[in-house]
Amino acid sequence: MRSLVLVLSIALSAALGTAPALAGGGAGQKNDPCLLVTPEEIGQALQDKVGPGQNSGVGDCSYRGASGYDSQAAIQVDENPGRREFFASQAARGNVQRLDIADGAFAFDSPAGFTAVTVLKGETLVTVTLSRPSLKQRTEATAALARQAAERLGTNAAAHREPGLEALVGEWYTDAGDPNRGTREVRRWVIEKDGDWTMTMAPEHAGMIAAQDGQWMVDSPQEHFSGNYRPDGKDGLITQGDVAAEWKRVPNGAHPEGVDSVFLGIWSQIPLGGMAHGPVDPAMVGLWRAESDSDGAHTIMVWRIPPDGYAVLTLIVTVKGDLEADEGALEVSPDHGDSFKASYKFQGADAFTTTDESGSFRWQRKGTGLW
């Protein structure tokens, strides 16, 4: 048996190679904000004990002193184009103090208890912020940190390097659907310490179904698929055409075997307003399950067909492989299919983006996002 939605056959068989299973990032950041100053230097400036910096992955590194919320620091690196012109406009404001650091600097001291010093070096901006209302000579302390950051900017000591495979180990989730089209596709990526991985993809396809006299078809604003059907005993169904499978009915109140609820928890919200459905043969009404192994992928299909005609077909596809990761570069090798290259970029310890030629996805560690 071969379970297959023809309009998705390329994505299902390729799984990782040409389908957008990996994507995100860009050219990458040149300077790591957490390497421009040390926790010891920040602790000296705050007059407090400071732990390691927390890198946001988007150019910011934050520190917190042992005293709590009243003792914080942040380093921000802005490498976007046009920073020299932006600096000139900000330095011309009347509420800042000009400083002689690198190619120019200014300080802003807030009555709220923080001081920010922004430095221009070449075409890059660095902003150092100290937040501690009780700190005396806060502007001087912030400026001293800004000088140290400017000296390290652009050196090998401050060069941004993505962590290796050890940081990718874990269970990650993303939604690879297209919100502009109302589609949803949960993906789970489990990466092991040795680089082995398992990815499960669950695209949803929703539409108004009509089924009568052995013919069925599904229509939505996004797609159309159709075929033939015939009952197979009391709790079986055989479909042909764009969806060819031998189905078994899932008993009322039961959960489809082998399917994690995360892949079926939210039915697709494709806008179907104004779409009518034809008659639905009661023999097709129900929750159905089918499965197959083909092209190196294990596939479970779940088809929810209610009497009101709003049907949702979910394909849960699992593929395996191994990968190598080094300083933001990925070499991904599915067990079946061609290897390919991608890049990755962390956004803190619990999220990262991946990039290849097909697009961009953001992966969130299990337990820290929606999953």
Side-chain angles (χ1 to χ4, degrees):
M1 181 192 71
R2 178 180 175 86
S3 300
L4 186 64
V5 176
L6 294 183
V7 296
L8 288 180
S9 60
I10 294 177
L12 292 180
S13 61
L16 278 174
T18 57
L22 294 177
Q29 195 166 336
K30 298 177 182 178
N31 293 277
D32 188 330
C34 287
L35 297 178
L36 293 180
V37 293
T38 67
E40 291 75 20
E41 291 166 346
I42 291 179
Q44 183 178 0
L46 286 174
Q47 298 179 15
D48 199 359
K49 185 177 180 180
V50 174
Q54 299 297 311
N55 196 326
S56 70
V58 291
D60 301 291
C61 188
S62 59
Y63 299 82
R64 180 176 295 178
S67 300
Y69 286 101
D70 284 340
S71 179
Q72 299 186 67
I75 313 296
Q76 180 182 36
V77 178
D78 188 346
E79 299 173 342
N80 292 306
R83 296 304 87 188
R84 185 172 290 272
E85 292 78 8
F86 177 78
F87 173 84
S89 67
Q90 297 299 300
R93 295 181 302 167
N95 61 344
V96 299
Q97 174 187 349
R98 296 298 294 265
L99 301 173
D100 184 17
I101 305 175
D103 296 332
F106 62 84
F108 171 74
D109 188 61
S110 170
F114 71 87
T115 299
V117 173
T118 299
V119 179
L120 175 69
K121 185 176 181 179
E123 298 296 328
T124 302
L125 289 181
V126 177
T127 299
V128 178
T129 304
L130 291 185
S131 178
R132 190 164 195 190
S134 62
L135 184 64
K136 297 180 179 179
Q137 297 181 322
R138 194 173 56 234
T139 299
E140 290 80 359
T142 310
L145 276 181
R147 287 191 178 89
Q148 292 168 323
E151 289 176 1
R152 295 185 180 119
L153 190 71
T155 67
N156 287 333
H160 175 75
R161 296 177 178 87
E162 291 293 338
L165 174 61
E166 69 281 355
L168 292 169
V169 172
E171 185 173 338
W172 307 89
Y173 288 85
T174 190
D175 185 350
D178 183 351
N180 295 322
R181 301 180 62 211
T183 61
R184 177 179 182 266
E185 181 183 341
V186 173
R187 291 185 180 181
R188 175 172 61 199
W189 199 8
V190 179
I191 302 175
E192 308 292 345
K193 293 180 180 179
D194 59 2
D196 288 347
W197 54 260
T198 301
M199 182 178 288
T200 303
M201 300 166 281
E204 287 184 347
H205 299 269
M208 303 306 294
I209 190 171
Q212 192 175 35
D213 300 328
Q215 302 289 321
W216 66 267
M217 66 177 185
V218 174
D219 272 313
S220 78
Q222 288 75 30
E223 56 192 346
H224 169 90
F225 46 103
S226 61
N228 304 322
Y229 74 93
R230 62 180 175 87
D232 184 22
K234 178 182 177 182
D235 294 316
L237 182 71
I238 296 175
T239 58
Q240 297 175 330
D242 291 335
V243 181
E246 298 176 6
W247 303 87
K248 296 298 181 183
R249 185 185 302 276
V250 178
N252 289 336
H255 187 83
E257 181 182 354
V259 179
D260 193 319
S261 59
V262 70
F263 299 119
L264 298 176
I266 304 174
W267 300 111
S268 177
Q269 296 300 308
I270 296 175
L272 297 173
M275 291 194 67
H277 70 87
V280 181
D281 188 337
M284 286 198 72
V285 173
L287 183 61
W288 302 93
R289 180 190 182 279
E291 65 180 302
S292 72
D293 290 282
S294 61
D295 299 321
H298 180 69
T299 303
I300 298 177
M301 298 201 298
V302 177
W303 205 354
R304 172 181 174 264
I305 305 177
D308 65 9
Y310 181 58
V312 180
L313 174 67
T314 306
L315 294 92
I316 302 96
V317 185
T318 301
V319 292
K320 297 177 181 290
D322 62 84
L323 61 80
E324 296 180 4
D326 182 43
E327 295 188 4
L330 284 174
E331 179 81 25
V332 183
S333 302
D335 286 347
H336 298 268
D338 296 332
S339 299
F340 67 99
K341 297 182 184 297
S343 64
Y344 64 94
K345 183 177 181 180
F346 272 87
Q347 298 177 328
D350 296 320
F352 67 95
T353 56
T354 50
T355 299
D356 66 12
E357 61 183 12
S358 60
S360 175
F361 290 145
R362 184 178 190 274
W363 298 86
Q364 192 77 33
R365 190 184 298 276
K366 180 182 180 181
T368 63
L370 297 176
W371 299 280

